[in-house]
């Protein structure tokens, strides 16, 4: 294996200084993050301080957060009502998402021990949709399997996980993404994606070169021992 290239701190800092990133671009990244993650108050304040218009109506942020909170507490009916109040086309044009919400509602009936209601709801609301799609039918069958295992620890992980908090979060995430898409807004924060790309790039570079690493706790670059040995 060929030896790693050594990049001294002075050269590293010069290269970073030569990078041109406008303040406006940085502000847009921050605003994008605040909007997608649902920080309405912070987005309003940042919009005012940075003189930057928000990419969406900021009131929609509060609506999205109310919908997410409703799903996280298991109130699917309230969530569906709020989604339709925000934009009825979201569910009208996305049958898969509507099925996910109805599936979550069935899960909540089972969680609460309302077996009669669960059976009736599954037969009237979900069974017809299962006939339309093999995927829907498989999900319905998996959900109904909860009735066989109830709270038994012997339930397969794929079945038991339907009652976990992660299932509610998953449903809430799908709804949140659909709302953002309806607003012509990306569903993933660009800042998070950029940080992942930077981490990947640093890993690739680390395989080929010795370079100063940023110490986040101190806010300074640290030299590796290999660099310090250079004349």
């Amino acid at each position: 294996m060929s030896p790693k290239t050594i990049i001294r701190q002075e050269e590293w800092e010069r290269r970073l200084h030569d990078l041109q990133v406008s303040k406006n671009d940085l502000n847009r990244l921050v605003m994008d993050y605040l909007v997608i993650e649902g920080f309405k108050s912070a987005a309003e304040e940042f919009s005012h301080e940075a003189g930057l218009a928000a990419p969406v109506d900021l009131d929609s942020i509060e609506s999205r957060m109310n919908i997410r909170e409703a799903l996280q507490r298991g109130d699917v009916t309230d969530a569906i009502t709020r989604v339709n109040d925000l934009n009825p086309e979201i569910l009208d044009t996305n049958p898969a998402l509507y099925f996910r919400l109805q599936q979550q509602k069935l899960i909540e009936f089972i969680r609460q021990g309302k077996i009669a209601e669960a059976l009736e709801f599954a037969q009237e609301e979900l069974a017809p949709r299962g006939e339309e799609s093999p995927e829907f039918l498989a999900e319905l069958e998996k959900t109904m399997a909860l009735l066989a295992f109830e709270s038994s620890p012997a339930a397969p992980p794929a079945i038991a996980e339907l009652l976990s908090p992660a299932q509610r979060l998953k449903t809430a995430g799908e709804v949140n993404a659909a709302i953002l898409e309806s607003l012509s807004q990306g569903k993933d924060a660009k800042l998070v994606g950029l940080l992942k790309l930077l981490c990947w790039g640093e890993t690739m570079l680390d395989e080929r070169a010795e370079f100063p690493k940023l110490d986040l706790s101190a806010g300074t670059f640290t030299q590796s021992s290999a660099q310090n040995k250079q004349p």
Side-chain angles (χ1 to χ4, degrees):
M1 181 182 293
S2 56
K4 289 184 177 182
T5 300
I6 296 177
I7 305 175
R8 296 179 179 279
Q9 183 167 338
E10 295 78 7
E11 173 67 10
W12 185 253
E13 291 180 347
R14 184 189 65 77
R15 293 187 184 188
L16 290 178
H17 183 267
D18 288 343
L19 293 175
Q20 298 296 321
V21 181
S22 72
K23 184 177 181 180
N24 186 58
D25 287 339
L26 292 175
N27 286 344
R28 290 184 182 279
L29 283 173
V30 173
M31 177 61 78
D32 176 78
Y33 176 82
L34 295 175
V35 167
I36 288 180
E37 294 301 316
F39 299 111
K40 180 186 177 184
S41 297
E44 289 175 334
E45 184 174 349
F46 187 74
S47 175
H48 176 72
E49 292 183 355
L52 182 66
V56 299
D57 180 359
L58 293 180
D59 287 337
S60 68
I61 297 178
E62 185 173 0
S63 297
R64 279 194 296 117
M65 294 305 100
N66 288 336
I67 292 167
R68 183 168 68 182
E69 290 169 4
L71 289 170
Q72 289 176 345
R73 66 173 182 268
D75 194 343
V76 182
T77 299
D78 181 44
I80 291 175
T81 298
R82 290 179 180 275
V83 171
N84 285 329
D85 287 343
L86 182 64
N87 184 352
E89 291 187 1
I90 293 175
L91 297 182
D92 288 344
T93 59
N94 196 334
L97 180 63
Y98 186 66
F99 176 84
R100 293 294 186 190
L101 285 168
Q102 296 292 70
Q103 179 189 19
Q104 189 64 46
K105 190 171 183 178
L106 175 60
I107 292 171
E108 300 303 337
F109 276 134
I110 297 173
R111 186 197 304 274
Q112 297 164 20
K114 298 179 178 179
I115 306 306
E117 289 92 332
L119 291 172
E120 181 180 0
F121 183 75
Q123 182 177 3
E124 294 183 356
E125 298 293 337
L126 292 176
R129 298 183 182 278
E131 294 175 356
E132 300 171 359
S133 167
E135 179 185 355
F136 293 169
L137 181 59
E139 286 296 319
L140 175 57
E141 291 174 346
K142 185 171 72 172
T143 305
M144 295 302 292
L146 284 170
L147 296 175
F149 292 99
E150 296 182 353
S151 58
S152 171
I159 304 299
E161 69 182 8
L162 294 176
L163 294 176
S164 71
Q167 173 64 25
R168 287 178 172 177
L169 291 174
K170 178 182 177 182
T171 303
E174 291 176 356
V175 173
N176 187 60
I179 294 173
L180 287 169
E181 184 177 356
S182 74
L183 297 170
S184 299
Q185 177 73 23
K187 62 180 181 179
D188 298 313
K190 295 182 179 65
L191 184 58
V192 174
L194 180 59
L195 289 175
K196 290 180 179 179
L197 181 61
L198 287 173
C199 289
W200 175 84
E202 183 174 290
T203 300
M204 294 296 100
L205 181 60
D206 195 43
E207 294 178 357
R208 298 170 173 81
E210 293 284 353
F211 61 97
K213 307 295 195 302
L214 179 63
D215 183 348
L216 295 177
S217 62
T220 58
F221 288 105
T222 58
Q223 297 276 354
S224 69
S225 58
Q227 286 172 289
N228 290 332
K229 291 179 181 178
Q230 297 300 312

